[in-house]
Every structure is written in C-alpha cells, then in structure tokens.
Amino acid sequence: MTDTTQAPGQMSGNVLFYNQPEPLNLEQHGKLGVTAVDKPYGFVGTSNLVPLTVTEFAPAALSYPVIFIGETQKQPVAVMGLRAGENFYIEDNGQFRADAYIPAYVRRYPFVFANDDVQKRLILCIDRTASFLTEGGDTPLFVDGQPSDYTKQAMEFCNNFEQERQRTDSFVKLLTDLDLFEVREANFTPRNADGTAGEPQKLAEYFAISEDKLKAMPAEKLAELRDNGALGQIYAHLVSLLGWDRLIALAFTRAAQTPAAANA
C-alpha cells in the first residue's frame, strides 16, 4: 500500500468518484431520472480509501480501519483495501458486503455540493457520468418543472453531510491544536514454510491519534474531550485500527479466489 500520510491526488482538487459534476438545473437535467442498474456501487470498487465524517467513526470502526491522511488536511478515511485501485468490500455484483458499513460519502452520490465563490453559496451538482442517471429514468429528478421529492431528499442529505463535514474539520483542528497526532505503520509478519516468522512487511503509513499523548493530557482537558463528545470518537478510531488484521485476512481470501491475478 502506498504512503497514506499524503492524501491521494483524487482527494485533493478533483472530488473522488465525481468525473463530470454539473450544477443541477431544469434546462440540462429536466428529463433525467434514476434507474436501478447492475453493480450500483461499482464506482467505489477502484478506491481503497473513502472519506468519513467524525460521527461515522463508531459504525465504520466495525468494518474498517479509520485513519487520517494528508500532512496538512488529515482527512479521516475508511480503509477498504491494501493498495490503490483495490476494494475488498465491493463484491462482484457491485454491492457492498452485507456486513459492511456504507459511508455517507458514498450514499450521497451522484449528488454533491460545490462552492459558488461569487455568490458565496453552495450549489447542488450531480455527476453526469453516473451509470444510473438516464433520460426517462424511473425516479425523475424533476416533476412539473420542480425538483422531485427524490431530489429534495438528496439536497437535505447533502446539507446534513456538509454540516457533518464542517464538524469533522473542527474535530481534526482540535486534535491538531492539542498535538495528538502521530505517524503510525500498519505491518504484516508472514509465516515461513517452517512456521517461523518471516520478514515484517509495511502495509501503510498513516496518521493516528497517539494513545501516549492522550494519556499524558491534563485531566481537565480529557474532561473537555469527554464532554464535547470527541473522546468517544477518538476511542472509536483507536479500536478501528484492529481492523488491519481483517483487511489482511480479506486480502488472503481475495488472493485465494483469484490465484492467477495474485501470481501475475
């Protein structure tokens, strides 16, 4: 896995998953609708990192390691694969594994807010390349020249997501100001044929919250983190790091199912 202390290019500048975002409007998109398609989450299958908001740490921790990436940004993400371009949680039918948490970042697709720097507002956009957006689709985006109930619900979801994104930014800033981050490595020690331990292999390097720094904090600061809810999210993140073992197990399962690809 590549060094995840640096945010991947697709997460800085271009928006992950969105190939052709367009401001939603009646003139261009009045005939569009959403239709069920094969492999509905196929667009997630080529990304091993998916952004999370802070309130998702606890449910996401049951499925993935929750880590922070980017030297400055420290974006929280769910790790879904050990290398760029792979995702162990999207099955061949394009669905998430039944036991996996689906991040809100994925659930809002193909909608997304964009900044209007001129009017200082957010504009609702859609990814025009989304496979399930078609002319005359079963669930229209507009009805009688007005946004449909589906579109209104999507806008509300994006509004809520934006609030959670801002809350996440504040959470990261708080941890940064308290100097609680450290660089960590995820390592794997294979077994030799005779059962002895092989050479450790580094899977990833990333930012995590330092347990030692957390323990060294004054009691009143810990109380503040407890009272504002940050401490619970911190522990959810720390517990999630046990999930690296799950990812390794999934990697072995995937390799066993596709031996030709594994040996290529």
Side-chain angles (χ1 to χ4, degrees), residues 75-233:
Q75 165 74 55
V77 297
V79 185
M80 300 186 182
L82 296 179
R83 291 186 296 270
E86 71 178 6
N87 190 311
F88 299 145
Y89 290 85
I90 302 300
E91 299 183 323
D92 291 341
N93 62 1
Q95 296 281 1
F96 266 87
R97 289 168 55 98
D99 59 347
Y101 173 75
I102 303 177
Y105 189 98
V106 171
R107 286 181 276 127
R108 72 171 179 171
Y109 185 81
F111 296 92
V112 65
F113 272 137
N115 287 315
D116 182 345
D117 294 330
V118 176
Q119 300 189 33
K120 305 298 181 183
R121 61 172 182 166
L122 294 172
I123 299 176
L124 186 66
C125 299
I126 58 168
D127 181 8
R128 190 60 186 84
T129 65
S131 61
F132 43 83
L133 277 180
T134 59
E135 287 203 13
D138 297 338
T139 304
L141 301 185
F142 292 89
V143 175
D144 296 329
Q146 298 296 322
S148 66
D149 288 342
Y150 172 80
T151 300
K152 290 176 183 176
Q153 291 171 4
M155 183 176 294
E156 182 179 1
F157 189 91
C158 287
N159 269 319
N160 293 336
F161 183 89
E162 178 62 19
Q163 293 173 12
E164 292 300 326
R165 187 194 64 77
Q166 294 176 10
R167 186 174 290 116
T168 303
D169 288 347
S170 297
F171 174 77
V172 170
K173 184 179 185 305
L174 173 63
L175 300 184
T176 302
D177 291 345
L178 292 172
D179 190 29
L180 288 180
F181 284 111
E182 67 177 1
V183 176
R184 279 203 198 180
E185 291 183 358
N187 296 298
F188 166 61
T189 303
R191 290 287 173 181
N192 296 320
D194 60 3
T196 59
E199 285 293 321
Q201 300 176 12
K202 184 170 78 169
L203 300 176
E205 189 176 88
Y206 58 94
F207 287 103
I209 296 167
S210 167
E211 293 182 72
D212 290 337
K213 291 181 178 181
L214 191 64
K215 292 174 183 177
M217 290 186 66
E220 61 272 16
K221 282 293 183 183
L222 282 173
E224 287 180 21
L225 292 176
R226 179 199 63 205
D227 294 342
N228 65 20
L231 195 59
Q233 310 295 359

Side-chain angles (χ1 to χ4, degrees), residues 33-87:
V34 174
T35 299
V37 295
D38 292 334
K39 301 185 176 182
Y41 293 112
F43 64 93
V44 188
T46 57
S47 179
N48 65 322
L49 304 173
V50 174
L52 291 171
T53 61
V54 64
T55 52
E56 297 181 279
F57 282 17
L62 299 176
S63 302
Y64 322 103
V66 176
I67 65 173
F68 299 83
I69 62 173
E71 186 72 36
T72 302
Q73 185 183 16
K74 293 185 173 63
Q75 165 74 55
V77 297
V79 185
M80 300 186 182
L82 296 179
R83 291 186 296 270
E86 71 178 6
N87 190 311

